[in-house]
Amino acid sequence: MKKVLNIAVDTETLSKRSTAAVIGIAARAFDPDGGCVEGEDRGFHMAIDATSCAMLGMDFDPDTVDWWSRKSDEQKKQFEVTESIKKALKYLSLFIEDIKLLNEADIVRIWCQGTDFDIPILRNAFVSANNDRAEKTIPWKFNEVRDSRTYIQENIRLMYPNCEDPYSVIPKRPDWNKHDALSDVDQLILNVQWVTRQLINRLAPKPQEE
């Protein structure tokens, strides 16, 4: 059986479009079942120079730019040191390849929050930054993308039919800093692992009474 390496990714952007300018990328390897993964402590987090995205014609939404401008100085610290989008994507690919080799994995499986944001944006970034219409530089296969939002919401609705907000039943990391890409990745991982544990516990055979 082929060994699968699961990696959660998150982006921070200056637009909601699939062609958005990217200002932050984060990733971390994890086991959805809660087990250990080699290199899971080596989270990837890189801030990106927005000018390098502008030079490639990526999208800037004035409302999103203004929203970021009103964030606290503490939240903006994550963007103090930046790289070009092309270098950031290269480093992301190297990070994924290193963790893949470390775990002797055959397949890389990417998890993200929804299918209409991070993955289309990263896909466009790889194509634009590398002039890669054939998409050979993307370090995962299109059919190995997993949507944590659907996984979480649909399973929680099955387990808790009366729950109006599926995310309300999942514990929050005490250090979770929303819109910090690596912090969001870590919360995504907690969400997936918590739901998986609930499913395993419910599906496990019950001990028979004597």
Side-chain angles (χ1 to χ4, degrees):
M1 181 180 293
K2 292 184 177 181
K3 186 174 182 181
V4 176
L5 171 67
N6 292 274
I7 295 180
V9 299
D10 186 78
T11 60
E12 300 300 339
T13 68
L14 294 177
S15 169
K16 296 177 182 178
R17 294 178 178 272
S18 62
T19 55
V22 183
I23 56 172
I25 303 175
R28 192 186 297 280
F30 76 109
D31 178 1
D33 295 343
C36 295
V37 176
E38 291 292 334
E40 64 185 2
D41 57 331
R42 291 167 48 189
F44 175 90
H45 192 194
M46 187 161 288
I48 297 159
D49 177 16
T51 303
S52 69
C53 296
M55 292 175 67
L56 295 171
M58 295 183 181
D59 189 63
F60 288 72
D61 171 53
D63 289 340
T64 306
V65 174
D66 179 64
W67 180 83
W68 274 111
S69 72
R70 290 183 278 106
K71 290 297 178 184
S72 68
D73 290 341
E74 184 67 25
Q75 196 142 28
K76 292 177 184 175
K77 280 185 179 180
Q78 61 181 301
F79 306 117
E80 287 181 347
V81 179
T82 62
E83 282 286 0
S84 71
I85 183 64
K86 185 168 184 176
K87 280 189 177 180
L89 294 172
K90 178 183 177 181
Y91 293 143
L92 174 64
S93 296
L94 290 172
F95 168 80
I96 291 173
E97 186 61 27
D98 285 347
I99 300 294
K100 181 181 177 183
L101 290 172
L102 189 62
N103 286 276
E104 299 181 341
D106 304 293
I107 297 168
V108 172
R109 185 164 291 160
I110 299 294
W111 289 76
C112 57
Q113 177 82 341
T115 58
D116 59 349
F117 191 76
D118 300 289
I119 291 301
I121 288 172
L122 284 172
R123 182 180 179 184
N124 175 71
F126 272 104
V127 171
S128 300
N130 299 296
N131 192 25
D132 178 26
R133 291 184 63 83
E135 302 188 1
K136 293 182 179 179
T137 57
I138 300 175
W140 56 80
K141 292 184 178 180
F142 72 93
N143 59 346
E144 291 299 343
V145 173
R146 298 295 183 268
D147 170 17
S148 66
R149 179 184 291 134
T150 301
Y151 179 77
I152 290 161
Q153 291 191 345
E154 298 310 313
N155 279 308
I156 287 181
R157 285 195 178 102
L158 287 173
M159 293 186 288
Y160 303 93
N162 297 320
C163 178
E164 293 185 3
D165 176 12
Y167 284 93
S168 67
V169 301
I170 304 176
K172 304 297 185 290
R173 291 174 57 88
D175 58 347
W176 182 23
N177 182 16
K178 288 185 180 181
H179 304 297
D180 176 296
L182 189 57
S183 188
D184 285 343
V185 158
D186 289 337
Q187 183 62 43
L188 183 156
I189 290 171
L190 184 151
N191 293 345
V192 171
Q193 290 179 335
W194 188 89
V195 170
T196 302
R197 284 196 299 271
Q198 296 292 311
L199 289 171
I200 291 172
N201 290 338
R202 287 167 180 261
L203 294 172
K206 302 244 183 333
Q208 295 182 350
E209 296 183 2
E210 295 183 359

